[in-house]
């Protein structure tokens, strides 16, 4: 497989469920990201794992918990979600250089469409 | 405050009718201006990166240009398969790991 793959493509869960989203990248990149995409809003960065360091968006609720066991795999653990968490969750990867360097592009998976009932 | 604004919000063209999409940005120390294409039900697909004013890049019917305040995505003689949402994002010098995203332009090309 090539690129960034996400599973599952669709997920429906109740507010009391616990589920996990999975992402795998085959590009040899050293950084992985979780983004949330909602209608009429810009892409929202949730978490970044870069060079084995986790960077968080402090506005992300604790009901979202990321895990990055290695540079190729990324998980997003979900528990006690709210209906407003329904959205498209996108995983991305990139190659990150020194802090003073220019950004390289993100490469996205096709996302998981999450519906919370 | 860093900001990216895309216009128009939606654009409908006839096949062959050339046009341009705009991405205005206000960021401190641009570290890259990115264009993506997103089809329904899919993730954004990378198109171009521009790093400095005056830079241009082309791919098939698409051409991206950059000034100190804005970027344009020119679409020459579009085809129905060019229909998609086009997203623009800018990286600033302060936080290289976080992009500032626009809301996108939804393009529809009628045959």
């Amino acid at each position: 497989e090539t690129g960034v793959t996400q599973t599952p493509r669709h997920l429906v869960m109740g507010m009391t469920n616990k589920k996990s989203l999975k992402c795998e990248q085959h590009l040899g990149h050293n950084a992985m990201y979780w983004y949330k995409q909602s209608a009429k809003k810009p892409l929202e960065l949730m978490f970044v794992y870069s060079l084995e360091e986790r960077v968080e968006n402090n506005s992300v609720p604790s009901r979202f918990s990321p895990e990055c066991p290695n540079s190729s795999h990324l998980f997003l653990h979900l528990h006690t979600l709210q209906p407003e968490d329904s959205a498209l969750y996108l995983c991305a990867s990139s190659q990150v250089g020194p802090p003073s360097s220019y950004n390289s592009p993100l490469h996205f998976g096709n996302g998981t469409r999450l519906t919370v009932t | 405050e860093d900001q990216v604004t895309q216009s128009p919000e939606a654009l409908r063209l006839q096949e062959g009718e050339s046009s341009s999409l705009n991405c205005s940005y206000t960021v401190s120390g641009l570290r890259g201006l990115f264009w993506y294409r997103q089809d329904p039900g899919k993730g954004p697909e990378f198109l171009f990166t521009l790093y400095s004013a005056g830079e241009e890049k082309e791919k098939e019917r698409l051409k991206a240009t950059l000034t100190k305040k804005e970027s344009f995505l020119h679409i020459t003689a579009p085809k129905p398969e060019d229909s998609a949402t086009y997203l623009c994002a800018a990286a600033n010098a302060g936080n290289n790991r976080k992009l500032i995203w626009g809301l996108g332009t939804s393009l529809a090309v009628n045959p």
Side-chain angles (χ1 to χ4, degrees), chain B residues 7-111:
Chain B
S7 62
E9 182 176 329
L11 181 62
R12 186 174 294 275
L13 299 174
Q14 288 299 122
E15 184 172 1
E17 179 187 1
S18 301
S19 188
S20 296
L21 312 183
N22 177 265
C23 172
S24 297
Y25 65 92
T26 307
V27 299
S28 51
L30 185 72
R31 281 289 183 264
L33 189 292
F34 302 86
W35 283 99
Y36 289 84
R37 169 196 171 124
Q38 187 172 22
D39 293 297
K42 294 193 173 183
E45 175 189 353
F46 170 68
L47 293 174
F48 302 109
T49 308
L50 302 166
Y51 290 112
S52 57
E55 190 174 0
E56 298 182 352
K57 288 192 177 174
E58 286 189 68
K59 179 181 178 181
E60 296 180 355
R61 295 177 293 283
L62 301 177
K63 179 181 178 180
T65 62
L66 182 66
T67 73
K68 289 186 177 180
K69 294 183 179 181
E70 56 193 349
S71 177
F72 292 94
L73 186 64
H74 308 278
I75 305 176
T76 302
K79 298 181 177 181
E81 52 262 42
D82 295 321
S83 298
T85 295
Y86 290 86
L87 297 170
C88 168
N92 63 20
N95 187 345
N96 277 348
R97 307 299 176 253
K98 187 172 181 178
L99 297 176
I100 300 102
W101 290 87
L103 290 174
T105 294
S106 177
L107 174 65
V109 182
N110 296 328

Side-chain angles (χ1 to χ4, degrees), chain A residues 41-102:
Chain A
K41 292 184 178 181
L43 279 168
E44 176 189 352
L45 178 64
M46 302 176 71
F47 301 102
V48 181
Y49 280 86
S50 175
L51 303 173
E52 301 182 1
E53 176 187 355
R54 184 171 105 185
V55 178
E56 305 186 32
N57 179 344
N58 291 330
S59 66
V60 176
S62 59
R63 55 186 182 267
F64 294 93
S65 174
E67 178 189 359
C68 189
N70 55 60
S71 61
S72 299
H73 295 85
L74 186 64
F75 297 88
L76 188 62
H77 303 299
L78 317 171
H79 64 96
T80 59
L81 294 190
Q82 303 298 310
E84 59 265 29
D85 296 323
S86 298
L88 181 66
Y89 288 84
L90 292 163
C91 174
S93 69
S94 74
Q95 187 63 25
V96 170
S100 60
S101 65
Y102 286 86

